[in-house]
Amino acid sequence: MKAVLEGGVPIALSTSVYDNVYGLLSGYSYQFLAPNPVEDTQIYTGVVKPGETAVESLTLKTLSGEAEVAAVKAYWFHVVRKGLLDYLDLDNAYVILADGSTVPLSERLAGVGEDGSTLTLLLQGDERRIIVPMKQEYLQGLAKPLEYENEIIVSFPYSLMDPERTYGPSPGLPYLILGAEFHLGFDLDGDGTITLGETARVNYDIRYANTLHVEIGNPESQAEEVAMWLAERWGIEVAPEDAVPVLDLRVLFNVYGLIGQQIELPLRLETEFLHRLPASELSVSLSSTTVTPEGVEAEVAIQVPEDASPGVYQYYIEIVYSDGGKTLVPVSVPVAAVVDSESGVIDFGGFTEEAPYRQYAVSGKFDWSWRYESGDWRTFPVVFEDPTVRAVVVAVEWQSPATAIDVAVGGPGYNYLAADTEEDIAYLYGSVVAAKMAYHGGALGGGGLVPYYETPSKTKTVVLAPVFEAGTHTGW
């Protein structure tokens, strides 16, 4: 948008997505594959094995004028996940009721967990919003002056959202729909209380789901923008450092209240701090530091460490210009596990609360009102170098019986699970060759499919996947 509106801010173009996907699929009978390269604004390396170096090309060009490159940087994110309760000011929190009146949160609070993340509310049916001021230290991340981004995660039991396990097969309204919002506020009238009228909403998440993710970005810079907006729009001068973060929990639909039933609602409130750190394994070489409409070529090299765990890693490149403008280029690197004649059991590891990447955290970014596959998928490429391997057993374990995780294995093979008729069966790359998914009633590609639910869910899924040929497969 900056390139279009302002001009002179270079755009980044790469055919790496097309090149790598086309190279993977071109040997199979896909009618939609176009022979002409398609430019994209990101870099995708295709599957890389540990210890290898991926090299991709990037073109920078302005729409008009010239831009002088001042610096080229590459970053990755170190993620720290914590309970949110330490950052909440529960003493000054309040509840907005259906008639517009307010009561202290303490009147609707059933318990505060010792784990730092669990807050149990007593919902009586007339609640509309729970307003919880937060401590200003939340705006500072964990370790200034590192650059960082924040995300708030709110979750509650699916058994309260849809106690009869009927919402999926019978689309309609679940029993309980919540929303989560993040605001920045200023005590403009000096009464010691931040009302909604004194806040600016930064972001929100409202879905038919029992896990909500509010992606905030950098809250300190957000506070500066709100302060600037108040000054320019309303002539109100405030200091960004006086901004108070506010968590707004919305009760959008509550069947329990409609039938006169009170419930205890345990909320799990967490936050993730994503600290931006230099990525020494990624380098960029420019053919020129003066970017013109004709374009400047760049070579991007990513050295994958020998001990890299399987998964898709995310980086981004920041190209800074002498006038202060920036070009940001996302980089995705799928790192594979390798199966050779020496391989036995490959353990991909598991979730940790502090990690360089959220590869093993499946956080439930789904929406029951939208498509089934819109969940929070994680992919793990596997390269089979041993041609004698004919099948692989994939086992996934998780902790809580209150959830279920679908598992699918794709690669070169016959699309039996997605074919509606025998005429549709073909040997393709990307076929789902084995899966355990919350479906019954037909093939994955057929119509009229409905989810099913295990109550309680098992905490382990095992599938047996055939290996039709050596090469790259993917589990997700």
Side-chain angles (χ1 to χ4, degrees), residues 109-400:
L109 192 59
V112 179
E114 297 181 357
D115 59 358
S117 61
T118 304
L119 192 70
T120 303
L121 303 178
L122 179 62
L123 294 188
Q124 299 182 14
D126 58 349
E127 300 86 0
R128 292 298 178 265
R129 307 178 91 139
I130 295 99
I131 308 300
V132 186
M134 301 174 65
K135 300 173 183 177
Q136 287 181 311
E137 63 188 82
Y138 183 71
L139 301 182
Q140 301 170 356
L142 287 178
K144 289 184 67 179
L146 292 178
E147 298 184 69
Y148 63 96
E149 295 184 4
N150 291 5
E151 178 176 314
I152 289 176
I153 303 165
V154 179
S155 57
F156 62 99
Y158 182 85
S159 58
L160 287 175
M161 176 187 170
D162 184 19
E164 298 178 3
R165 298 293 201 273
T166 59
Y167 177 60
S170 303
L173 289 174
Y175 273 55
L176 189 62
I177 302 176
L178 300 183
E181 300 185 0
F182 179 79
H183 297 241
L184 287 172
F186 294 88
D187 186 10
L188 300 179
D189 58 11
D191 66 352
T193 300
I194 303 292
T195 64
L196 279 180
E198 297 173 306
T199 71
R201 185 173 69 181
V202 174
N203 205 355
Y204 68 96
D205 189 11
I206 296 175
R207 288 177 289 121
Y208 286 13
N210 63 311
T211 301
L212 304 171
H213 294 252
V214 185
E215 297 174 346
I216 299 168
N218 186 306
E220 276 192 321
S221 63
Q222 301 279 9
E224 294 173 0
E225 291 186 17
V226 173
M228 185 182 303
W229 177 80
L230 282 171
E232 293 177 353
R233 181 72 181 271
W234 303 106
I236 300 174
E237 298 293 337
V238 296
E241 59 268 21
D242 292 335
V244 176
V246 176
L247 177 63
D248 178 9
L249 301 173
R250 303 185 62 179
V251 182
L252 300 167
F253 190 70
N254 183 359
V255 169
Y256 302 101
L258 295 176
I259 62 178
Q261 181 180 346
Q262 297 184 11
I263 61 168
E264 287 193 1
L265 174 65
L267 292 175
R268 187 171 179 85
L269 306 176
E270 299 172 285
T271 185
E272 285 191 343
F273 297 101
L274 292 81
H275 290 279
R276 192 170 74 168
L277 300 173
S280 59
E281 62 271 29
L282 193 154
S283 62
V284 181
S285 301
L286 297 173
S287 61
S288 172
T289 58
T290 302
V291 184
T292 66
E294 288 71 35
V296 168
E297 297 303 313
E299 182 181 271
V300 179
I302 304 100
Q303 173 64 51
V304 179
E306 293 279 357
D307 58 351
S309 299
V312 181
Y313 291 82
Q314 296 173 325
Y315 303 88
Y316 76 92
I317 300 167
E318 180 183 71
I319 303 169
V320 184
Y321 304 98
S322 57
D323 62 358
K326 296 179 181 179
T327 300
L328 304 180
V329 183
V331 180
S332 297
V333 184
V335 177
V338 178
V339 176
D340 55 25
S341 59
E342 304 296 323
S343 301
V345 176
I346 298 178
D347 185 353
F348 285 11
F351 171 72
T352 60
E353 292 189 355
E354 184 169 342
Y357 177 59
R358 294 171 293 176
Q359 182 62 42
Y360 298 91
V362 181
S363 298
K365 290 188 178 180
F366 60 87
D367 187 339
W368 285 109
S369 67
W370 184 229
R371 296 165 57 170
Y372 178 80
E373 68 272 20
S374 65
D376 188 30
W377 293 94
R378 293 289 186 263
T379 60
F380 303 93
V382 180
V383 175
F384 290 93
E385 295 184 341
D386 183 354
T388 66
V389 174
R390 290 292 176 263
V392 59
V393 176
V394 179
V396 178
E397 298 182 63
W398 58 95
Q399 296 177 351
S400 172

Side-chain angles (χ1 to χ4, degrees), residues 382-466:
V382 180
V383 175
F384 290 93
E385 295 184 341
D386 183 354
T388 66
V389 174
R390 290 292 176 263
V392 59
V393 176
V394 179
V396 178
E397 298 182 63
W398 58 95
Q399 296 177 351
S400 172
T403 190
I405 295 179
D406 291 339
V407 178
V409 180
Y414 292 97
N415 61 339
Y416 294 121
L417 295 179
D420 293 323
T421 66
E422 289 189 11
E423 289 74 19
D424 295 323
I425 295 175
Y427 188 83
L428 302 169
Y429 185 88
S431 298
V432 176
V433 296
K436 180 272 173 187
M437 306 182 78
Y439 275 121
H440 69 76
L444 293 180
L449 299 176
V450 293
Y452 72 87
Y453 309 95
E454 299 170 310
T455 309
S457 170
K458 300 177 178 67
T459 57
K460 183 175 183 178
T461 285
V462 181
V463 298
L464 175 66

Side-chain angles (χ1 to χ4, degrees), residues 3 8-15 39-43 56-73 284-300 317-321 325-330:
V9 179
I11 58 175
L13 299 172
S14 172
T15 61
E39 291 182 321
D40 203 342
T41 57
Q42 61 181 311
I43 289 179
E56 299 293 345
S57 297
L58 182 71
T59 300
L60 296 173
K61 59 174 62 176
T62 59
L63 299 184
S64 63
E66 295 182 351
E68 194 68 27
V69 176
V72 179
K73 306 173 184 178
V284 181
S285 301
L286 297 173
S287 61
S288 172
T289 58
T290 302
V291 184
T292 66
E294 288 71 35
V296 168
E297 297 303 313
E299 182 181 271
V300 179
I317 300 167
E318 180 183 71
I319 303 169
V320 184
Y321 304 98
K326 296 179 181 179
T327 300
L328 304 180
V329 183

